[in-house]
Every structure is written in C-alpha cells, then in structure tokens.
Amino acid sequence: MLPKLPDDIRTPAYVLDVAALKRNLETAARIKREAGVKILLATKAWAMPAAFPLLDDTLAGTTASGEYEARLGREEFGREVHVYAPAYGPGEIERLIDIADHIYANSPDEMARVLKAVRESGRTNIHVGARINPGYSNATLGGALYDPCAPNSRFGTTAEEIDRLPWDDIDIFHAHALCESLADGSVGLIDHVARTFEPYLRRVKAVNFGGGHFINKPGYDVGKLIAALKAFRAEFGIEVYLEPGAGLVVDAGYLVSSVIGIHRNVGEIAILDASASTHMPDVLEVPYTPTIIGADKPGVHPFTYILGGKTCMTGDVIGEYSFDAPLKPGDRLVFTDMMQYSFVKNTTFNGTPLPDLAILHEDGRYEVVRSFGYEEFRRRLG
Ligand SMILES: Cc1ncc(COP(=O)(O)O)c(C=O)c1O
C-alpha cells in the first residue's frame, strides 16, 4: 500500500506509518493470544516513545541492551523491563536493579555478579536469566556478522560451561539465536532448545526465545510458530517470551529524502539529502539495497542513477536504481522499510543533518515528533 505522504514535508525524514505498524501489531497480538506467550519490544531495533502507546495493549514490555535502553523502557513504556548485555560496566548491575525487573547474565562469572548484587539489594522481585548459546545457527542475514552462535561468539554461556551456572537461582533460560528468520528458523530454535536443554528447562520458570523472529515478513508462517510455541508450552509448562525488534516494525515506515544534486561520472549519480553512511548504516553493514517507491533495478526503467549521500565517504552509496523520468534536484525519493535499525543507529558524521522523526497517522495527518538542527551536531561534540 502506498503511503499518502503530504507533498510539502521537510526532508530527510524517518516516517512511521501508523496503519502499517498496527497491521504488524495484529500479528503479535495473534501470537500472544493463540500461543499464550509474552512479547517484548527489543528497543535496540526501534524506539519511538511517541508511538509506544500504540504498543501498550499488545506487548508485555521492552527488552534492553543495557542501562540506557532499560531506563528508556522503564520511563517511556513501563510494564516489564528486561535487560541483557554481554557484560555490565562498573555499577551498571546495581543501577539496573532499580530500573529493570528481569536481568540476564552472559556467563557464569557475570551470573555470580548479578546474583550477588540482587541479594545485596534486598529486592525480591528481580527475575534473573541466563543467556545460553544454544549452538543453533539460522541467521538469514549477513552470515556470521549477525549469527549470535557464530564461532567464537561472545553471546551466551556455551554448552561446555552450562553446568557452572547455579540453576537453582536462575528464573529464565534465554536463547537468542536468530536474525530475520522465517518460521522454520523460529521453530527450529524452539525444537533444538527443547531437545538439547531439557534438564535445564525443567528447572526454570520461563524461557526467552530472543529476537530475530521476522513475524511480519511476507512468507513467515505465523501458524507454524504458534503451533511450535503451544507444543513447547504443553511439554514444559513454563512461561515463554519472544523479544523481536525488526519483526514488529518491518515495512512500517519510510526514509523520505530529496535529490539535491546530479553528478556525472561514467554514469549519472544523484546526490541525496539522505545518506547510507549516516542515515541507513545497515545498507553498508549488511549490506543491502533498499527499495524505493516507484523505482526499480538498473535498466528496468529508462533513467538509471547511482544514489549517494553528500558525505565524504566514497562508499556512501545507497545503490543503483532506474526511474521513469530523469531525476532533478527537489525530486522526492521514498525508501521503504526504514524503521528497523535506522534512526537508532544514525550519526552526524560530516555534520550531516539528522532526519526529522515523524509519524504518518491513519487519518493522513503528518506529525513531526522531533527535528534536529545544528545544535544537536554541536552538542555531541562536547
Ligand atoms: C538479545 C537480543 N534480543 C532481541 C534482539 C532483536 O532482534 P531482531 O530485531 O532481529 O528481532 C536482538 C538483536 O540483536 C538481541 O541481540
């Protein structure tokens, strides 16, 4: 469905499409209802507090990558706040105890630190989880770059070390192993964990199957996930969490940009006010070529351009696309699927202005939630 964006919006802008987000949330609500599991938002992938009220009915809370995201979840979302990091910095666990209610440890040594801090705090309502490396590789994106179980991964206690964990003190078994995985990946992980780690699952109150479940990606068989989750719950009788990020906001928004110049080398190059390097770093990191509404692969339409940002980085290239008409300064280009891992990762490299954060409401109203000017660039330079 094409977004009905007003013609006169300032670019660049990341725009959340509320109608699309609500469609995604219906999938999450179905999984929650039919499988009887709890779903958390992984705020590392997408965090737009202005839109959090839309998620409130469906999600049980948020899951954080450390203190700041945990605080964001506590202050802006409420409900359950889970947190995991491969290691916690000095004092971080103690501070997290005042913010989060579910704290996961990466290793037996981190677990000892977490349990000691929880004991000393006197708090009895903190749930402690162990992140396990389940030895299950299914990341469909970027190979080892996004595979939490890649060789020498720093994520989670391995099977060799697992008996060093004090299982009597552990509430949750955590196994995050997926990235942009379809249902076969999710089901494969659930089955693998059930088969491989049964004795440990029998000793905990809950399991968290992490993120990477790409539940709203076309082709994801939600019924299959639900069936696997129900079977797991029937077998083990423990609470089950999923903590997707990307799967909740895939295809739920845009990066709207404008052509600001045309350069000729061997071919034609359109320079945009949006940049791969500063505004969509995953385009370079994964790497991938994002979709632009109305454009296609090179040569499909008569006018082909390389699109790039205005930074000094030679590799700040978004991709090569073809268009029906020649591009000219002022033309607007709308990149799709630009909510996940986009504005949470952006930078002001080269003094590049940060895009507006905006919301396209269901009634067509366009609301700019935040604009960033020179001050934002200056402030971050100390
Ligand atoms: C522990 C953990 N949980 C959840 C997620 C969210 O994953 P995704 O956005 O792919 O669903 C990640 C992503 O890296 C993660 O590391």
Side-chain angles (χ1 to χ4, degrees), residues 208-220:
N208 183 331
F209 285 117
H213 309 273
F214 221 13
I215 54 175
N216 282 293
K217 188 72 178 171
Y220 192 101

Side-chain angles (χ1 to χ4, degrees), residues 313-370:
M313 186 200 176
T314 308
D316 185 1
V317 169
I318 301 160
E320 201 176 358
Y321 300 81
S322 66
F323 299 84
D324 272 339
L327 293 182
K328 54 183 188 319
D331 285 352
R332 203 165 70 175
L333 302 180
V334 180
F335 294 90
T336 64
D337 193 16
M338 279 292 161
M339 287 293 102
Q340 45 165 325
Y341 297 100
S342 57
F343 61 90
V344 290
K345 289 178 117 179
N346 62 15
T347 74
T348 55
F349 176 53
N350 275 215
T352 306
L354 292 173
D356 285 353
L357 292 177
I359 297 180
L360 178 63
H361 291 277
E362 286 171 292
D363 60 5
R365 190 165 53 90
Y366 182 79
E367 178 194 0
V368 176
V369 173
R370 180 64 58 89

